[in-house]
């Protein structure tokens, strides 16, 4: 087998078309679930999200009777959802069949059928869903385990987007941590109009606290390519480059400075990217939907409260949302959609990709099976 | 194998994705076939319907020469249809190749090729097509065999619709005879706005004259579901319920009363539902098209002539067509489209479904093969 | 195996779903390739056409790095194209990786990767692409080998169209050389409004200089089909038929007369049709795209210069383009799209098809494999 012909070198990764079980994944905003149940697909599993007072519940989106999606159902009795076809009525908290309207109060099937439930919690306005296996009575680990620690431990303000994009989640994750592309692909992005980007770097990946962090050992702002020409992103109107480390800036945010990150970009399981700027951090989650789609959750976070937080929120809505979470990452979406790999021919900066793939291999992960889940 | 995991308990039914051979199936209205030939698909077979004076003929919709559909052909010579490509000209009555325009009058292939013909007869304004195997010179059984007897023996007036809907024909048939769903799914149908429906019943299936008939042993108009709530379709403005048997009404139509049906709803092969009201009967045919589509033929029949018949026709066009053959059965179409079964988990009222499936198994049926029919 | 059930009698032809290697194929007009690279698919191979000064280059349209199409790339440095993702920059003349912008001037991968190149030449305004295997340093044969000789040896004016149509290239080629269909299918074409067509012919195929030529031994202008009726294309306003041989007309063009063709229509490999009229010739190329699409290149040529050439060009644009290269051949496109063969049942005039298929079998052809080409 020729090197790069396939991903057999990374067998866990190769199999993980639908991601990994036993993790919390962000889905939609909590405010998007109102009276109407909302279907979502996470790691290939069809889930209906249903509001139950202050909380949102997750159930397998398929009535075991004849396979009708419960997301088409009726909210007729408190704390339950009823299949629209025959009125099979399930408790939202446990998925147990509580009543079958069309079979009367003594229906012998009651208590003998249930639909799978999915733990759901709200964090940062997003509904996180647990995809994994739990023994009878077992609780999933706290969602905080699957959220970057600085988001659990500090106050902040955020702006964000959650949307489904084309392409497998692994292409999206690789694109995010990819050392090489940003300086070329995003060369034309408006987000970088006033900020110079390097031409090429020498990079090293270090692992710390479960994160892989890209460290720049050399940064080259322009280069002359023999027989081809000169390339640089420098323009007279562009601001001077940022320091090599996000916390090293004079006016760096104290929370970010305290992270003491050796580089701007880091990634961790099950697929979370962190791009640390001196004053704010951009996060993105790559949540597997199906083999050809990824839920792309972008958050821009500033660790402030009060007036500074409000000002940042306004700046997010007025600019960052459109320039960075819009036009800039749409360039990534474009590549994730058209890329087609393996076969592939990796190059020096792809050490970021191979470090990520090796990180997956050595982690103790349960691959989500790709066969469709219909019953359970 | 877990119970309900598949349909292996009903092997004939499981195989009958495209229905059964050796039956007459209704297709489109006869008036829909004018000068232009019309293609239809029945049990997966592609058929062109062509008007030949007062009758309509059915031919395999594929010229054996290069596979061009004859439904694209020209009506150039009386009693024939010509393939648009090379003018292969077939007799409509027997499918024999009568002339090949582009090979001259002495074409040696004439009389040595023919396309399969399908017996077609018109009944109740609909074109019934025979799908089955006939020996040389053999005639199919009379179409009356595959039409409910009361429609053969009495005068009546009717209104109806014929259309193609999504979903396999078996889902449509099961939905039709399904004891459970009507009271819940159709709870919101305008057709039932003034007529109360039960909450749940105890039902028995009896077989008589080839029909399976649903008999209600108990009818419950409302029910209190412990820990869930109360459900009823009763409203102050709704009319009192009908009697348990369609012929028991004081002003029941004599033809319907003479049927002496022990219940309102019955089904028979190859897939005909009869819903008997005291004054009129609704029929529906589930005609296999392909694996994912069913031709749904709805007829509303009143056994009257003269002024009463005219009044019914007007009532059909003004209301029944839209309320019952429109909005009400569109709810069924919705479920037939989204249902996805097996796996399935049947409940008490599904004895109507299992009786139907067992009825298929014990009948002497020839399953239509699912491999595509191209030549013959 | 029943005769006509499949194409096993013509095994090379049967396998040639994507055509034959080692030939030049016309694609798009040279003027269609400007600043922006243009992707085309020929014989299933994805190719990007890129302007390089006065010439156009062809490269495999896939960056070996991560599989991004180079047709989405940037023209940043002369004589190169850069992948939009990471700036891998390939020489247009040889496909060699010249620079990798995001890996600096000393990138160790430079000179160790290349993309396949496709010889491209411009003839008659069209870009011809060589699909075939070449040894190191080997040149493909001159494009003239795959162009009808009279187009290489004479001055002429032309009008034409190049477009992608539905259907496999073999159906298009067979439709073109098919003796039988024109007289029936095109009976209604405006192009033939003033020119009578025969009803049926007796035909012979002769081979000369690599061309198969249809020779009419008998031409029948009308015919009476017993029991069916009379058929003729003659109308009082239609002009008298042309002579049997294109060069025999009194005012025949000298170049066409010199061809001394025994019949109007001829075909040659790899799929070129020639329809010779006394004063001009219509050519069409059937270029395989994928299994279900064919590039259909139509040229109408008049061997004149000066005022006569200008007049012809005007006549092409005003009439021939719409009547012949439009409505007339759209009837062919319709049949190529709907035809579905084998199985097939051939008839006497199909000796043109079987001669063509036999011609393919006895020629020494390399079938283009159908498995997708991703790396190389």
């Amino acid at each position: 087998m020729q090197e790069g012909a396939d991903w057999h070198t990374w067998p866990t990764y190769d199999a993980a078309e639908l991601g990994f079980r036993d993790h919390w994944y962000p889905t939609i905003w909590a405010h998007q679930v109102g009276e109407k149940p909302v279907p979502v697909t996470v790691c290939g599993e069809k889930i209906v999200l249903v509001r139950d007072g202050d909380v949102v519940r997750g159930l397998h989106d398929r009535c075991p009777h004849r396979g009708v999606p419960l997301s088409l159902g009726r909210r007729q009795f408190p704390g339950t959802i009823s299949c629209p076809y025959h009125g099979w009525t399930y408790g939202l908290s446990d998925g147990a069949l509580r009543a079958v309207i069309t079979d009367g109060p003594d229906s012998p099937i009651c208590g003998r059928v249930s639909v799978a439930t999915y733990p759901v919690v709200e964090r940062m306005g997003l509904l996180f869903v647990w995809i994994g296996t739990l023994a009878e009575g077992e609780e999933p680990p706290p969602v905080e385990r699957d959220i970057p620690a600085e988001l659990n431990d500090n106050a902040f303000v955020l702006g964000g987007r959650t949307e489904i994009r084309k392409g497998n989640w692994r292409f999206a994750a690789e694109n995010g941590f990819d050392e090489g592309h940003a300086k070329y692909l995003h060369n034309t992005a408006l987000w970088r109009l006033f900020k110079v980007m390097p031409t090429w770097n020498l990079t090293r990946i270090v692992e710390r606290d479960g994160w892989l962090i890209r460290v720049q050992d050399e940064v080259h702002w322009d280069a002359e390519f023999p027989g081809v020409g000169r390339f640089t992103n420098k323009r007279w109107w562009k601001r001077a480059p940022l320091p090599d480390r996000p916390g090293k800036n004079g006016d760096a945010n104290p929370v970010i400075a305290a992270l003491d990150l050796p580089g701007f970009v880091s990634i961790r399981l099950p697929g979370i990217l962190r791009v640390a700027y001196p004053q704010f951090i951009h996060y993105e989650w790559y949540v597997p939907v199906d083999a050809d789609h990824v839920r792309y959750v972008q958050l821009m976070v500033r660790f402030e409260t009060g007036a500074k937080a409000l000002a940042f929120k306004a700046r997010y809505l007025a600019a960052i949302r459109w320039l960075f979470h819009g036009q800039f990452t749409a360039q990534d979406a474009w590549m994730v959609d058209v890329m087609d790999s393996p076969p592939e021919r990796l190059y020096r900066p792809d050490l970021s990709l191979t470090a990520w793939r090796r990180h997956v291999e050595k982690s103790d992960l349960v691959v989500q099976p790709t066969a469709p889940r219909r019953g359970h």
Side-chain angles (χ1 to χ4, degrees), chain A residues 150 206 208-209 213 215 244-249 252-264 266 274 276 281:
Chain A
E150 65 272 19
V206 302
R208 208 178 68 190
D209 303 331
I213 310 175
V215 178
D244 283 358
R245 302 179 56 179
K248 292 303 174 197
N249 201 311
N253 175 284
V255 173
I256 297 170
L259 289 174
D260 193 26
L261 294 170
F264 280 92
S266 32
R274 176 174 63 188
I281 301 184

Side-chain angles (χ1 to χ4, degrees), chain A residues 125-253:
Chain A
L126 287 163
L127 295 172
F128 281 74
V129 173
W130 168 261
I131 301 291
T133 311
L134 296 173
E136 180 71 29
E138 187 188 6
E139 291 289 317
V143 68
E144 285 72 18
R145 196 203 65 177
D146 290 339
I147 292 179
E150 65 272 19
L151 293 174
N152 295 321
D153 303 339
N154 298 283
F156 56 83
V157 59
L158 67 76
R161 286 189 157 189
T162 170
E163 68 204 277
I164 287 171
R165 293 184 170 184
K166 283 189 200 167
N168 188 265
W169 77 275
R170 292 169 300 186
F171 288 157
E174 294 188 350
N175 175 80
F177 194 51
D178 172 14
E179 198 278 317
H181 81 279
K183 306 175 290 299
Y184 193 80
L185 175 68
H186 299 308
N187 195 34
T188 57
L190 290 173
W191 175 248
R192 305 302 308 200
L193 190 57
F194 299 108
K195 281 162 281 188
V196 67
M197 285 190 295
T199 294
W200 68 285
N201 304 328
L202 275 187
T203 299
R204 196 167 26 101
I205 308 295
V206 302
E207 183 175 347
R208 208 178 68 190
D209 303 331
W211 291 91
L212 303 180
I213 310 175
R214 268 177 19 207
V215 178
Q216 316 292 30
D217 286 327
E218 288 180 25
V219 179
H220 298 266
W221 299 99
D222 49 26
E224 180 71 34
F225 296 87
V228 171
R230 184 168 169 276
F231 187 93
T232 184
N233 181 256
K234 281 189 191 159
R235 302 288 183 272
W236 62 262
W237 69 81
K238 290 204 183 198
R239 265 189 285 158
L242 292 170
D244 283 358
R245 302 179 56 179
K248 292 303 174 197
N249 201 311
D251 61 345
N253 175 284

